[in-house]
Amino acid sequence: MIATPAAESPRITRDGNEAVASVAYRMSELISIYPITPSTSMAELCDEWSAQGKPNLWDEIPQVSQMQSEGGVAGTMHGITMGGTLSTTFTASQGLLLMIPNMYKLAGELTPNVIHVSARAIATNALSIFGDHSDVMACRQTGYAMLASNSVQEAQDLAAISHAATLSSRVPFLHFFDGFRTSHEINSLDYVSNETLLDLIDDKALDEYYQRALTPDAPTVRGTAQNPDTYFQAREAVNSFYKEVPTIVQATMDRFAEKTGRSYKLFDYYGHPEAEKVIVMMGSGVETAAETAAWLNQNQGTKYGIVAVRLYRPFNTKAFIHSLPKTVKSIAVLDRTKEPGSIGEPLYLDVTFALRKASRCLNNCLPHDPELIGGRYGIGSKEFTPAMVKAVFDNLESETPKDHFTVGIRDDVTNQSLDWDKSFTIQIANAQSALFFGLGSDGTVGANKNTIKIIGEATDLYTQAYFVYDSKKSGGLTTSHLRFGADPIKAPYLIEESDFVGCHQPQFVGRVDMLSKIAQGGTFLINTSTDADEVWHSLPHDVQEAIIEKQLKLHVIDAYKVAGESGMGRRINTIMQVCYFALSDVLPTEDAISRIKTSIEKTYGRKGPKIVAMNCAAVDAALAFLKQIKIPEKPTNAPASIEWIPDSAPDFVKRVTGPLLAGQGDLLPVSAFPIGGVWPSSTSQYEKRSIASAIPVWDAETCTQCNKCSLFCPHAAIRPKIYCESELENAPQGFKSTAYNGPGAEDKAFTIQVYPQDCTGCNACVELCPATNADGRRAIEMEQLAPILDQEKESLAFFQEIAEQTIDPTIATAKSIALRQPLFEFSGACSGCTQTPYIRLLSQLFGDRLLIANATGCSSIYGGNLPTTPYCSDANGRGPAWANSLFEDNAEFGLGLHLSSKWRSETARTLLQNLDQDIGPEEVTDFLSIPSKDIDKKRKAIETFRTRLQKIKGSKSTRLLQHLDYLVEKSTWIVGGDGWAYDIGFGGLDHVLATGANVNVLVLDTEVYSNTGGQSSKATPTGAQAKFAAKGKELPKKDLGQIAMSYGGIYVAQIAFGANEQQTLDVLREAESYQGPSLVIGYGPCLAHGIDLSHGPARQKSAVDSGYWPLYRFDPRNADSDLPVFRLDSFAPSIPVADFMLNENRFRSLERSNPERASLLLERAQAQVDSRWARLEAMAAAGLEDDDDEDDGWG
Amino acid sequence: MKITVIYGTETGNCKGLAAKVAKKAAKNGVDIDVIDLATYDIDQLASLEEPLLIIISTWDDGAPPPKCEATFNKLMEREEPLPDLRYTVLALGDTEYPLFCECGRKIDAQLAELGATRLLERTDLGAEFMVTYIGWSKRFWKMLAGVFGKAA
């Protein structure tokens, strides 16, 4: 299918978010924003366009203000619109919930505005960033009009209609479309011009809007308080406006159709004109349902139809009834949300009532009173496929249709789910598809976005692209789903039958299911360094079998070789892209290659001609390495199954974690899951991701046993152990060991063991290893994993079995802490993450009594995102207990956890004292005098008490047993990033610190919203470029420590692990032991800074050396001692702050794009450092008034 | 008036303290050379005329900071006396290690062994060195006031 070149057309290729943002930006004047997945890119684009000076419809440049939370955004928007300026915003999920209070106000005051929502699940039993309608359904009572879009094209068009209709009707609009499925799907759409947008706007309404503004020139008051005599009537005054909304929306849609030819109705009907079975729904699922109904009607003679709800609020019964074919006999209403305890989900209830009202009140009866059922689908982006649509119709066909059903899962507990035929699929006419499997960091997704762009620009074809990522921060699997064809692609579900499958990473073969979705006779391309003659034999049996059965064409290329030879290192994406074009016939290969080169020029032009030439050379070289493999008639390898989980693993891990790791999570039934959001810890040890191609290898001879490699390992994948030399008798060959060098070293051996399949290959350990031998080799150096994997696995197995020496729990030096078992291991954090070592330290210091409240963000994702959990337990089964509530409430949530455990501790102590005669008075007295750090002693005593209490009758004894373990006090840590601590959660944090409660706060300060991709926060420093700060941040970083110190009774410290590890350790221990609130702010260099994270610790050091990040402690306890309350732990800056800043891209990029502003901001940054240092020095000196060194005889 | 400060550091604490001494010296009008032990030629000690301050941390169970290991060993192995050298040692360490400030102690003992004159008793500073430094600084400068004949 070689397509004809594109004619002049306004057709563009965009994702849903960009399509919406483009309209919202052009139709607004002031925009307030806050990041939340999956809406963030809309806000980012507006910020970028504003920074570039892009005009709106009125040739003015909209201004964008970032707020501290969505609550703040809504408040600002309330003010902006009451002030008479056009406004909009973008959000989803929890963010939308935070806007609800203001939404009532905005609607009650009839103030036009539009909130664009990429609809997303709400956190309930767990957080989900994925798509469904739970968030928007929580707003249906606010008084906002609600418009639903079902595709990228519609999202653009209905965005325009929302902005126009809100002005005309005065009712504010919530415009929504499915998170990810529509917000992140790239599709072809016809661009809506400024002319059309201007034409939609009712000039009179706009003029009236400006006139209504709150202004002293025509003063009024708003937001009065009304009494029982008035509120009710005044509230009813909005009615006539709501009555007009459907008419206004339809008129706007009609006007839009005149201008663009794209016609919409309040309720659109698709399908057989005399349909008997109809599905009512909204969102992207409409397209799947409509296409499936059409296919079934055509191929199976059914009479099916779909009603797409567009204007959901106000719900217009008349328009709804008119949209239904008169022939309808039964209706299934599909809701993409769950409302436990309700008679039915919201849309189901609306439809039910609309039908009843139509027949009883409007005298607008349908000939048959239709049978009505409701069901749920697609919750949290669960796939919704043609087969599921068919299952819903089949249910309608059945004698006794299931009501309140679910489709898309297997519910074996309440049996509400429908079965669906997994083999059913519908052909998409005249379309080609391609599926690519890549790694998060290998550029596969970027290359595919480029491919779609090339096809969209070079041909008349319609295109669609959708990308699926796993939840790992880096090194995760990406799947790219590309479709294109002569007709618009209306298939908002993953590819079910692909003409082409590209495997960009050889290690996926046999481990990732890539061939179940390939079409008969399809093409399979593998990037592999295995010799072409050997490739076939290297494939596992199942893959060979699938290739033979499906008669696939198998091609291979050694893309890493091509990349290496053309100087591209490990960048294979363009090479694979060329191969795809060569193997598919979507474009003539020559044409495709020249277009790829043009885009290389565009992307890398700034980096210089050499880089461009290298890329182009790789493109030219690629095809010579592309080889087709001859397929034998039968598989040549014997069947072998992969062991995802070792036999020794706990039952849950085998039953649930195993399928999740094997990519079979969708198949797990409801009964497999723990209820109430509980999940077992200690499961990351079973994941064995093996994402590093090279791992550190230890040299026992060179090592000085400082343990720094272990101390800084972001994934706890390097561990030291001291053990008896006699253990070595059973050591396998190649196990490395050396004599232990330290106190009590006799007969002791020492080993540093790398966990080869858990290491992510970040190289940080190598960079900071201080020991080198005579040849300049460090005590730890990277080596290719493949040749040493088996040896390292064997060594590790032995290492784990060795009995280690007891470590004195009261000592915590930088060296000895590494010897304690980390109770936070192998998380999904980025390779080289600098936050995770802080958390691991907490687990090593206080792990067996550690209670963590974790704000939503990076640390909640790598801390608790399935499939596996990195927090784990010690030999006694104790370990960190971890929970995430929300983003904004983390401090309060942590306070609650603390108050609860404190209550139980105090109750236990009181009961213990009450029962002392029964338990043993002396032992109770002894117990109460055990120092708080002697936890082992306490635990031993508790076991004795337990045994005795079990024999003592009475309610007090029973009650004490219920609280007994709380006699060891828990250590509460409230952990989160700067977005939480400085912005959205600051009010709560401030309050919790001010309560005086004994809680500890650890702020992992990356100076941006790392989890949503690096948006600016109030922790972002002057001169840094970040998303939402495209011009470079102007104002200084907020000084959170200084604010907290102003209370006087809070332990406050700033730490930077790579600059001073002992200070970090001391601070964490002091904070914990302080019987009051503690705030520890840890500097965490992040990928978003544009740095190489293998130098993370060095970045921390440079930040401290330049005075950018001074280390200090403020310990209120010292008021009663010789030590000062405030002291500096770092020295006066020894390098200019520029030396620190200009090594990071976040600062350097501004220098490239706007050197004048960059140098101005740099000057400002230096002045800030200087003045802060002077202030801190003065504070430190003030604490030493009686004891400074002026009194030294030198006058 | 001139002094020499030699520091041996791994994490930068001793270097930082040396910088503090230098700042004070500038204020007091004393010339100062600040030298990293890692790059210092031990043989030069013999011809050093001005008072010497050595600031050294103990790295790990009595070992010197890894970067200074070679120089440290050379000093320890030295047998030629240093009769003209006048010195004092400021040692940093962590009291949680059993061999607290061991490295400073060894240097102090070795210089005394080689016949050098100890101008001021060695001071060992623990984790609170940023604070306890001040007391030492007073003693140090009082001692120097004596050496340079600056009457208090």
Side-chain angles (χ1 to χ4, degrees), chain A residues 291-322:
Chain A
E291 295 291 305
T292 308
W295 192 89
L296 289 169
N297 291 344
Q298 197 183 349
N299 293 286
Q300 298 187 1
T302 54
K303 290 183 177 175
Y304 292 158
I306 309 295
V307 170
V309 180
R310 296 199 189 284
L311 185 67
Y312 177 58
R313 286 286 181 274
F315 195 97
N316 189 266
T317 306
K318 208 165 153 189
F320 171 68
I321 298 296
H322 279 292

Short mmCIF file of all heavy atoms in Angstrom, two decimals, chain A residues 291-322:
data_model
loop_
_atom_site.label_atom_id
_atom_site.label_comp_id
_atom_site.label_asym_id
_atom_site.label_seq_id
_atom_site.Cartn_x
_atom_site.Cartn_y
_atom_site.Cartn_z
N GLU A 291 -17.83 1.45 15.87
CA GLU A 291 -17.19 0.69 14.80
C GLU A 291 -17.58 -0.79 14.89
O GLU A 291 -17.79 -1.45 13.88
CB GLU A 291 -15.67 0.83 14.86
CG GLU A 291 -15.15 2.25 14.59
CD GLU A 291 -15.34 2.69 13.14
OE1 GLU A 291 -14.87 1.97 12.25
OE2 GLU A 291 -15.99 3.73 12.92
N THR A 292 -17.66 -1.30 16.12
CA THR A 292 -18.01 -2.71 16.30
C THR A 292 -19.46 -2.95 15.89
O THR A 292 -19.76 -3.93 15.19
CB THR A 292 -17.80 -3.13 17.77
OG1 THR A 292 -16.48 -2.77 18.15
CG2 THR A 292 -17.98 -4.63 17.94
N ALA A 293 -20.35 -2.05 16.30
CA ALA A 293 -21.76 -2.20 15.93
C ALA A 293 -21.89 -2.20 14.41
O ALA A 293 -22.59 -3.04 13.83
CB ALA A 293 -22.59 -1.08 16.55
N ALA A 294 -21.17 -1.26 13.77
CA ALA A 294 -21.26 -1.18 12.31
C ALA A 294 -20.78 -2.48 11.67
O ALA A 294 -21.37 -2.99 10.72
CB ALA A 294 -20.42 0.00 11.81
N TRP A 295 -19.69 -3.01 12.21
CA TRP A 295 -19.12 -4.24 11.65
C TRP A 295 -20.08 -5.42 11.84
O TRP A 295 -20.31 -6.21 10.93
CB TRP A 295 -17.78 -4.53 12.33
CG TRP A 295 -16.99 -5.60 11.64
CD1 TRP A 295 -16.10 -5.45 10.63
CD2 TRP A 295 -17.03 -7.01 11.92
NE1 TRP A 295 -15.57 -6.65 10.26
CE2 TRP A 295 -16.14 -7.63 11.03
CE3 TRP A 295 -17.75 -7.80 12.82
CZ2 TRP A 295 -15.92 -9.02 11.02
CZ3 TRP A 295 -17.54 -9.18 12.81
CH2 TRP A 295 -16.64 -9.78 11.92
N LEU A 296 -20.67 -5.50 13.04
CA LEU A 296 -21.59 -6.60 13.31
C LEU A 296 -22.85 -6.46 12.45
O LEU A 296 -23.36 -7.45 11.90
CB LEU A 296 -21.98 -6.62 14.80
CG LEU A 296 -20.87 -7.05 15.77
CD1 LEU A 296 -21.27 -6.77 17.21
CD2 LEU A 296 -20.54 -8.54 15.59
N ASN A 297 -23.34 -5.22 12.32
CA ASN A 297 -24.53 -5.01 11.49
C ASN A 297 -24.26 -5.45 10.06
O ASN A 297 -25.09 -6.07 9.42
CB ASN A 297 -24.93 -3.52 11.48
CG ASN A 297 -25.46 -3.08 12.85
OD1 ASN A 297 -25.79 -3.92 13.68
ND2 ASN A 297 -25.52 -1.77 13.06
N GLN A 298 -23.06 -5.12 9.61
CA GLN A 298 -22.73 -5.43 8.22
C GLN A 298 -22.44 -6.92 8.02
O GLN A 298 -22.87 -7.50 7.04
CB GLN A 298 -21.51 -4.60 7.80
CG GLN A 298 -21.36 -4.55 6.29
CD GLN A 298 -20.09 -3.79 5.90
OE1 GLN A 298 -19.45 -3.15 6.73
NE2 GLN A 298 -19.74 -3.85 4.64
N ASN A 299 -21.72 -7.50 8.95
CA ASN A 299 -21.25 -8.88 8.76
C ASN A 299 -22.14 -9.93 9.39
O ASN A 299 -22.07 -11.09 9.02
CB ASN A 299 -19.83 -9.04 9.30
CG ASN A 299 -18.84 -8.23 8.47
OD1 ASN A 299 -18.51 -8.60 7.36
ND2 ASN A 299 -18.42 -7.10 9.01
N GLN A 300 -22.90 -9.55 10.39
CA GLN A 300 -23.70 -10.58 11.06
C GLN A 300 -25.19 -10.25 11.04
O GLN A 300 -25.98 -10.91 11.70
CB GLN A 300 -23.20 -10.77 12.50
CG GLN A 300 -21.75 -11.27 12.51
CD GLN A 300 -21.26 -11.63 13.90
OE1 GLN A 300 -22.00 -11.55 14.87
NE2 GLN A 300 -20.02 -12.06 13.99
N GLY A 301 -25.54 -9.19 10.32
CA GLY A 301 -26.95 -8.88 10.15
C GLY A 301 -27.66 -8.41 11.40
O GLY A 301 -28.89 -8.51 11.51
N THR A 302 -26.92 -7.92 12.38
CA THR A 302 -27.55 -7.46 13.61
C THR A 302 -28.14 -6.07 13.42
O THR A 302 -27.86 -5.39 12.42
CB THR A 302 -26.52 -7.40 14.75
OG1 THR A 302 -25.42 -6.60 14.28
CG2 THR A 302 -26.02 -8.78 15.12
N LYS A 303 -28.94 -5.65 14.38
CA LYS A 303 -29.49 -4.29 14.36
C LYS A 303 -29.07 -3.60 15.65
O LYS A 303 -29.81 -3.59 16.64
CB LYS A 303 -31.01 -4.34 14.24
CG LYS A 303 -31.50 -4.80 12.88
CD LYS A 303 -33.01 -4.76 12.82
CE LYS A 303 -33.50 -5.16 11.41
NZ LYS A 303 -34.98 -5.24 11.38
N TYR A 304 -27.86 -3.12 15.62
CA TYR A 304 -27.27 -2.52 16.81
C TYR A 304 -27.01 -1.03 16.59
O TYR A 304 -26.77 -0.60 15.45
CB TYR A 304 -25.93 -3.18 17.16
CG TYR A 304 -26.04 -4.64 17.61
CD1 TYR A 304 -24.93 -5.49 17.51
CD2 TYR A 304 -27.22 -5.15 18.15
CE1 TYR A 304 -25.00 -6.81 17.93
CE2 TYR A 304 -27.30 -6.47 18.57
CZ TYR A 304 -26.18 -7.29 18.45
OH TYR A 304 -26.26 -8.60 18.87
N GLY A 305 -27.02 -0.29 17.68
CA GLY A 305 -26.69 1.13 17.58
C GLY A 305 -26.05 1.64 18.86
O GLY A 305 -26.07 0.98 19.90
N ILE A 306 -25.45 2.83 18.74
CA ILE A 306 -24.75 3.45 19.87
C ILE A 306 -25.24 4.89 20.02
O ILE A 306 -25.28 5.63 19.03
CB ILE A 306 -23.22 3.51 19.63
CG1 ILE A 306 -22.65 2.16 19.22
CG2 ILE A 306 -22.50 4.10 20.85
CD1 ILE A 306 -22.72 1.08 20.28
N VAL A 307 -25.58 5.28 21.23
CA VAL A 307 -25.84 6.70 21.49
C VAL A 307 -24.63 7.26 22.23
O VAL A 307 -24.25 6.76 23.29
CB VAL A 307 -27.11 6.91 22.32
CG1 VAL A 307 -27.21 8.37 22.77
CG2 VAL A 307 -28.34 6.53 21.50
N ALA A 308 -24.02 8.28 21.64
CA ALA A 308 -22.89 8.94 22.28
C ALA A 308 -23.42 10.19 22.99
O ALA A 308 -24.00 11.06 22.36
CB ALA A 308 -21.86 9.34 21.24
N VAL A 309 -23.22 10.24 24.30
CA VAL A 309 -23.64 11.41 25.06
C VAL A 309 -22.56 12.47 24.92
O VAL A 309 -21.40 12.21 25.24
CB VAL A 309 -23.82 11.05 26.55
CG1 VAL A 309 -24.27 12.28 27.34
CG2 VAL A 309 -24.80 9.90 26.70
N ARG A 310 -22.92 13.63 24.43
CA ARG A 310 -21.92 14.70 24.36
C ARG A 310 -22.18 15.72 25.46
O ARG A 310 -21.33 15.98 26.28
CB ARG A 310 -21.97 15.38 23.00
CG ARG A 310 -21.59 14.43 21.90
CD ARG A 310 -21.19 15.19 20.65
NE ARG A 310 -21.05 14.27 19.54
CZ ARG A 310 -20.00 13.47 19.39
NH1 ARG A 310 -19.01 13.52 20.26
NH2 ARG A 310 -19.94 12.63 18.39
N LEU A 311 -23.37 16.29 25.48
CA LEU A 311 -23.67 17.24 26.56
C LEU A 311 -24.28 16.43 27.71
O LEU A 311 -25.46 16.11 27.71
CB LEU A 311 -24.65 18.32 26.09
CG LEU A 311 -24.91 19.41 27.14
CD1 LEU A 311 -23.67 20.24 27.41
CD2 LEU A 311 -26.06 20.33 26.71
N TYR A 312 -23.43 16.12 28.68
CA TYR A 312 -23.90 15.28 29.79
C TYR A 312 -24.63 16.11 30.84
O TYR A 312 -25.57 15.65 31.48
CB TYR A 312 -22.70 14.55 30.39
CG TYR A 312 -23.06 13.71 31.60
CD1 TYR A 312 -24.01 12.70 31.49
CD2 TYR A 312 -22.48 13.93 32.84
CE1 TYR A 312 -24.37 11.94 32.59
CE2 TYR A 312 -22.83 13.18 33.95
CZ TYR A 312 -23.78 12.18 33.81
OH TYR A 312 -24.14 11.44 34.90
N ARG A 313 -24.18 17.33 31.05
CA ARG A 313 -24.87 18.26 31.94
C ARG A 313 -24.98 19.60 31.23
O ARG A 313 -23.96 20.06 30.70
CB ARG A 313 -24.10 18.45 33.27
CG ARG A 313 -24.20 17.26 34.22
CD ARG A 313 -25.58 17.21 34.88
NE ARG A 313 -25.69 16.08 35.82
CZ ARG A 313 -26.04 14.83 35.50
NH1 ARG A 313 -26.32 14.53 34.24
NH2 ARG A 313 -26.15 13.91 36.43
N PRO A 314 -26.10 20.28 31.22
CA PRO A 314 -27.40 19.77 31.65
C PRO A 314 -27.86 18.63 30.73
O PRO A 314 -27.67 18.71 29.52
CB PRO A 314 -28.32 20.98 31.49
CG PRO A 314 -27.46 22.16 31.20
CD PRO A 314 -26.16 21.65 30.70
N PHE A 315 -28.44 17.62 31.33
CA PHE A 315 -28.89 16.45 30.57
C PHE A 315 -30.23 16.77 29.95
O PHE A 315 -31.20 17.03 30.65
CB PHE A 315 -29.01 15.25 31.51
CG PHE A 315 -29.10 13.93 30.78
CD1 PHE A 315 -27.98 13.14 30.60
CD2 PHE A 315 -30.32 13.47 30.28
CE1 PHE A 315 -28.06 11.93 29.94
CE2 PHE A 315 -30.40 12.26 29.62
CZ PHE A 315 -29.27 11.48 29.44
N ASN A 316 -30.29 16.76 28.62
CA ASN A 316 -31.52 17.15 27.94
C ASN A 316 -32.30 15.91 27.53
O ASN A 316 -31.97 15.21 26.58
CB ASN A 316 -31.19 18.00 26.72
CG ASN A 316 -32.42 18.60 26.12
OD1 ASN A 316 -33.02 18.04 25.20
ND2 ASN A 316 -32.86 19.73 26.66
N THR A 317 -33.36 15.64 28.29
CA THR A 317 -34.12 14.41 28.09
C THR A 317 -34.68 14.32 26.66
O THR A 317 -34.61 13.27 26.03
CB THR A 317 -35.28 14.36 29.10
OG1 THR A 317 -34.72 14.54 30.40
CG2 THR A 317 -36.01 13.06 29.04
N LYS A 318 -35.19 15.45 26.19
CA LYS A 318 -35.84 15.43 24.89
C LYS A 318 -34.83 15.05 23.79
O LYS A 318 -35.10 14.17 22.96
CB LYS A 318 -36.42 16.82 24.61
CG LYS A 318 -37.61 16.82 23.71
CD LYS A 318 -38.29 18.17 23.83
CE LYS A 318 -39.03 18.46 22.54
NZ LYS A 318 -39.53 19.85 22.52
N ALA A 319 -33.69 15.70 23.84
CA ALA A 319 -32.69 15.41 22.81
C ALA A 319 -32.23 13.96 22.92
O ALA A 319 -31.96 13.30 21.91
CB ALA A 319 -31.50 16.36 22.96
N PHE A 320 -32.16 13.48 24.16
CA PHE A 320 -31.73 12.10 24.34
C PHE A 320 -32.74 11.14 23.71
O PHE A 320 -32.38 10.24 22.94
CB PHE A 320 -31.55 11.78 25.83
CG PHE A 320 -31.32 10.32 26.10
CD1 PHE A 320 -30.14 9.71 25.69
CD2 PHE A 320 -32.28 9.54 26.73
CE1 PHE A 320 -29.92 8.36 25.91
CE2 PHE A 320 -32.07 8.19 26.95
CZ PHE A 320 -30.88 7.60 26.54
N ILE A 321 -34.02 11.33 24.01
CA ILE A 321 -35.05 10.44 23.50
C ILE A 321 -35.07 10.49 21.97
O ILE A 321 -35.18 9.48 21.29
CB ILE A 321 -36.44 10.80 24.08
CG1 ILE A 321 -36.43 10.63 25.61
CG2 ILE A 321 -37.54 9.96 23.45
CD1 ILE A 321 -36.23 9.22 26.10
N HIS A 322 -34.88 11.70 21.43
CA HIS A 322 -34.88 11.82 19.97
C HIS A 322 -33.71 11.11 19.34
O HIS A 322 -33.80 10.69 18.18
CB HIS A 322 -34.87 13.31 19.57
CG HIS A 322 -36.23 13.91 19.63
ND1 HIS A 322 -37.23 13.56 18.76
CD2 HIS A 322 -36.79 14.81 20.48
CE1 HIS A 322 -38.33 14.23 19.06
NE2 HIS A 322 -38.09 14.99 20.11
#
